[in-house]
Amino acid sequence: MKKTIVTMSTVAVVGLTSAFFAETAHAEKTVSQIQDERSEIKANLSDAEAKIAQVLLDLEDLNKKIARVDGALAENKKQVKETEDKIKDTKQKVDELEEEIAVLEDKIEERFEIMKERIVAYQKNGGDVQYLEVLFGSKSFGDFISRSSAVSKISDADADLMKQQEADKKAVEKKQAAVEEKLDELNDMKAEQEAIQDTILEQKEQNEAAKQELKDKEAQLKEMKANLEGKDSNLAALEADIRASMEAANNDTPPVSGESNGSSSSHSTTSKPSVKAATAPVPSGSTGSAITAGNKYIGNSVYVWGGGRSAYDVQHGRFDCSGFVSWAYRQEGISLPASTAGLSGVGSKVSYSNIQPGDLVFFDTEGRKNGHVGIYIGGGQFIGSQSSTGVAKVSMSNPYWSKAFKGHVRRVK
């Protein structure tokens, strides 16, 4: 009976060992495939970033062009307004001249009445010309000569007045003609300026449409980039999980000789090796540069999902929590995943009682395990990119974070 138990135990060990090597080989193949996929994604990311950079350059050029068009439009509007003011002034001058002409015409009519009265007075005083004959014309050549003589006498009496009257009327009419000519010129100028303004407005609309197209393209590229970064983060996390499982499996030593029935059964029911927590602290190495690099973004950053994974994000202080941690450690020359899932498997797990500056601290947030990550900086504080503040130093005893902290600490090797 004992021999049977030993034989079965040996078979179980051989079967488990074969399964372990098969799983390891499959994991290695998967890691290779993941690395190939990540290389392709990174190439696509690089292409997307280059296109985004070009779109930003095009937007900058277009904004300058729009600014020039806006300037031309404003200047043209100013000229149209000035022309309208001139037209208004010129029309007022025309109205004033027309009033002067009307006054002169009234004076002419008054003088005509005076002339008629003088003719009547001349006739009553014994003149040779009858009033009706003066008014309605002569009936004979002699009468014509007599009437002409009478009119000539009256005209001589009013010669200076009549000359002044005609001179004034011609001067006013001349002024009126000049003003009206100027008014026509101004109206033509206004029509031309309005046509130019319509052209500028059309150009502005075209530029604005082109700008909107570029913005749409930029949004599409950024969305594509975010999707690629998300895929890369997921692959990085998957790769980290596989590597952690492989490392844990390599640290396990299966039994090589017969054991009791209980121990054999216990080992054979283990479906997958688990990651073991380190029993002794592993130095996390120098992390001064990572923390120092992060300090400069305190109060000078903004939380952006997927941020911290491009030069543009870093330049403008755009980070999410895992992107910030990954970027900060790159300043140490240490490459880490850019997702909380990937970071949760790096290095070795340590207890909070043994925590050191530079260790990663994880928090369960929004119903997700390890939904947030930061870098412990000592003194019961960590630095990280929070959605409400951007990059900031936070106390581990903060009610929100102390409740979300479940003791998950990892030390980067």
Side-chain angles (χ1 to χ4, degrees):
M1 181 69 180
K2 182 177 181 181
K3 181 178 180 182
T4 303
I5 294 173
V6 170
T7 302
M8 292 183 66
S9 177
T10 304
V11 170
V13 170
V14 172
L16 178 60
T17 305
S18 299
F20 163 71
F21 283 118
E23 182 178 348
T24 302
H26 176 70
E28 289 177 349
K29 181 180 179 182
T30 304
V31 168
S32 177
Q33 290 175 344
I34 289 173
Q35 289 175 339
D36 290 341
E37 289 181 28
R38 290 190 68 192
S39 296
E40 183 178 354
I41 287 174
K42 289 183 183 300
N44 292 335
L45 273 172
S46 179
D47 182 58
E49 288 176 352
K51 289 180 178 178
I52 289 173
Q54 185 59 51
V55 168
L56 292 175
L57 288 175
D58 292 342
L59 273 173
E60 185 178 355
D61 291 340
L62 190 56
N63 283 331
K64 291 179 180 178
K65 187 176 180 181
I66 289 174
R68 290 194 297 269
V69 171
D70 287 341
L73 184 60
E75 180 62 27
N76 192 71
K77 285 182 178 179
K78 179 181 177 182
Q79 292 178 358
V80 169
K81 180 65 170 58
E82 290 175 353
T83 302
E84 288 175 345
D85 291 341
K86 290 179 180 178
I87 290 173
K88 183 178 179 180
D89 292 341
T90 304
K91 284 184 176 179
Q92 185 176 352
K93 290 179 181 179
V94 170
D95 293 340
E96 291 174 356
L97 288 171
E98 287 179 345
E99 289 178 1
E100 290 181 18
I101 291 172
V103 170
L104 286 175
E105 288 177 344
D106 290 340
K107 289 181 178 181
I108 290 171
E109 184 65 25
E110 289 175 2
R111 290 188 182 109
F112 179 70
E113 292 298 328
I114 291 171
M115 289 172 64
K116 289 196 297 182
E117 289 175 359
R118 287 183 179 180
I119 291 172
V120 172
Y122 178 72
Q123 188 269 339
K124 288 181 178 180
N125 290 330
D128 297 332
V129 181
Q130 297 295 325
Y131 175 66
L132 292 176
E133 290 175 345
V134 174
L135 291 178
F136 300 109
S138 61
K139 296 180 180 180
S140 65
F141 182 74
D143 291 339
F144 175 78
I145 295 301
S146 296
R147 191 183 71 162
S148 297
S149 176
V151 172
S152 176
K153 289 178 182 180
I154 296 172
S155 297
D156 289 341
D158 295 322
D160 292 338
L161 185 61
M162 294 296 292
K163 286 180 181 180
Q164 184 63 43
Q165 179 174 317
E166 290 298 323
D168 289 345
K169 185 175 180 180
K170 287 180 179 180
V172 172
E173 290 176 347
K174 184 177 181 181
K175 288 181 180 180
Q176 186 180 33
V179 172
E180 288 179 347
E181 182 179 356
K182 181 65 175 178
L183 183 61
D184 291 339
E185 291 177 0
L186 290 172
N187 284 325
D188 291 342
M189 182 184 297
K190 181 184 176 183
E192 183 178 354
Q193 289 171 343
E194 288 175 344
I196 293 173
Q197 186 171 349
D198 290 341
T199 302
I200 295 174
L201 285 172
E202 183 179 354
Q203 186 177 1
K204 181 179 180 180
E205 290 177 359
Q206 293 173 353
N207 289 336
E208 292 291 348
K211 181 178 180 180
Q212 187 59 50
E213 288 180 5
L214 284 174
K215 284 187 174 181
D216 292 343
K217 185 177 180 180
E218 180 189 11
Q220 292 172 0
L221 287 169
K222 285 185 175 180
E223 182 179 359
M224 181 179 71
K225 180 185 172 186
N227 290 334
L228 289 171
E229 288 173 339
K231 290 180 181 179
D232 184 58
S233 295
N234 291 335
L235 288 172
L238 180 59
E239 181 181 354
D241 289 342
I242 293 173
R243 288 187 183 278
S245 298
M246 291 172 60
E247 182 179 354
N250 288 333
N251 290 333
D252 281 339
T253 304
V256 294
S257 60
E259 298 178 357
S260 67
N261 189 24
S263 63
S264 173
S265 173
S266 173
H267 188 82
S268 63
T269 56
T270 303
S271 61
K272 184 182 290 187
S274 61
V275 179
K276 293 183 177 179
T279 58
V282 179
S284 58
S286 172
T287 55
S289 297
I291 296 174
T292 301
N295 284 338
K296 71 179 182 179
Y297 284 108
I298 294 176
N300 188 31
S301 63
V302 62
Y303 182 93
V304 175
W305 185 87
R309 294 160 178 79
S310 69
Y312 178 85
D313 287 338
V314 173
Q315 181 182 357
H316 293 83
R318 297 154 45 99
F319 297 97
D320 63 9
C321 63
S322 55
F324 170 75
V325 170
S326 178
W327 169 82
Y329 264 92
R330 282 203 303 274
Q331 313 315 301
E332 285 282 322
I334 299 173
S335 179
L336 295 181
S339 67
T340 53
L343 290 170
S344 66
V346 301
S348 49
K349 189 174 182 180
V350 297
S351 65
Y352 184 59
S353 59
N354 292 325
I355 195 169
Q356 296 178 4
D359 290 344
L360 306 185
V361 286
F362 294 84
F363 304 86
D364 295 352
T365 58
E366 299 178 358
R368 293 189 302 123
K369 185 176 182 179
N370 301 327
H372 186 74
V373 62
I375 304 173
Y376 186 74
I377 59 175
Q381 289 187 316
F382 74 92
I383 185 172
S385 180
Q386 281 69 249
S387 59
S388 60
T389 61
V391 177
K393 292 180 181 179
V394 184
S395 173
M396 296 288 292
S397 61
N398 175 287
Y400 176 81
W401 296 111
S402 62
K403 183 178 180 181
F405 181 63
K406 306 301 181 183
H408 189 182
V409 180
R410 299 202 72 86
R411 182 161 297 159
V412 180
K413 289 184 179 180

